[in-house]
């Protein structure tokens, strides 16, 4: 059984590898292999992830397998207005269909209990992710040019209103 916990410095290299693999698998067919590799290598480097760990407005989680390997990674960021954005949620493709992504999402939501809503951005064409987020109560609230230097592609901004109970 995988254990979801706060990410530590010791997880940075494994999380970076998982993100790189996940991005290449997911986004190469949508935005091209070269663009995917360039963006992932830049935004998912161990140095970048380590810096994010030191940012008090960001919370990073990993799913650790019993053997100590990392099976999933998620990061959510809070802005100056108190709005939360689920910036990343990735699981190893061997975990697809296992419920791990749902468990990771629940960990992020629990860590932000008391907030009004959580948003995310997903590149149009990432149908698996869009279906997953819809299944978990997220609705499309905006369509805009994709962030992260993904020129010529659209992103969907999805939001889920959270219970204040």
């Amino acid at each position: 059984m995988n254990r979801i916990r706060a990410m530590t410095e010791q997880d940075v290299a494994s999380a970076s590898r998982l993100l790189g693999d996940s991005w290449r698998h997911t986004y190469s067919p949508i935005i091209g292999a070269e663009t995917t590799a360039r963006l992932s290598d830049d935004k998912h480097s161990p140095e970048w992830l380590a810096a994010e760990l030191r940012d008090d407005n960001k919370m990073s989680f990993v799913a650790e397998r019993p053997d100590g390997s990392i099976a999933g990674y998620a990061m959510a960021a809070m802005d100056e207005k108190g709005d939360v954005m689920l910036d990343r949620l990735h699981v190893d493709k061997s975990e697809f269909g296992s419920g791990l992504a749902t468990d990771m999402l629940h960990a992020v939501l629990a860590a932000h209990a008391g907030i009004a809503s959580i948003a995310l951005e997903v590149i149009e064409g990432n149908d698996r992710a869009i279906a997953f987020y819809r299944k978990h109560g997220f609705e499309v609230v905006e369509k805009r040019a994709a962030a992260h230097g993904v020129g010529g592609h659209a992103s969907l901004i999805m939001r889920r209103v959270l219970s204040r109970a």
Side-chain angles (χ1 to χ4, degrees):
M1 173 125 184
N2 297 319
R3 178 174 72 108
I4 298 172
R5 60 174 174 76
M7 185 171 150
T8 68
E9 288 276 345
Q10 290 74 33
D11 302 316
V12 167
S14 294
S16 176
R17 277 191 302 277
L18 182 134
L19 278 167
D21 291 347
S22 179
W23 257 67
R24 283 162 176 80
H25 176 262
T26 302
Y27 294 114
S28 288
I30 300 169
I31 63 175
E34 184 178 317
T35 300
T36 300
R38 178 179 47 80
L39 293 171
S40 183
D41 291 350
D42 182 40
K43 300 287 187 192
H44 305 141
S45 70
E47 296 79 19
W48 186 279
L49 297 183
E52 287 182 340
L53 277 179
R54 295 185 292 274
D55 185 336
D56 291 336
N57 293 315
K58 296 180 179 177
M59 296 179 76
S60 298
F61 301 87
V62 293
E64 181 181 35
R65 293 181 178 112
D67 68 3
S69 65
I70 300 301
Y73 167 79
M75 189 275 284
M78 184 174 288
D79 68 15
E80 63 281 347
K81 297 181 295 186
D83 292 332
V84 174
M85 178 73 85
L86 176 60
D87 195 270
R88 298 186 199 111
L89 195 161
H90 294 266
V91 298
D92 185 281
K93 63 184 172 190
S94 69
E95 300 286 342
F96 285 4
S98 71
L100 180 58
T102 299
D103 293 343
M104 299 279 310
L105 177 61
H106 288 166
V108 171
L109 296 175
H112 293 90
I115 63 164
S117 67
I118 188 167
L120 58 91
E121 179 177 359
V122 61
I123 295 174
E124 199 170 47
N126 187 353
D127 297 335
R128 182 182 184 88
I130 293 167
F132 171 80
Y133 291 121
R134 283 187 194 278
K135 177 181 170 184
H136 292 283
F138 287 81
E139 297 178 1
V140 175
V141 295
E142 182 182 351
K143 181 177 177 178
R144 64 182 180 203
H148 311 299
V150 185
H153 295 276
S155 279
L156 303 177
I157 304 303
M158 301 180 79
R159 182 173 295 280
R160 175 178 163 176
V161 176
L162 301 176
S163 169
R164 304 280 299 203

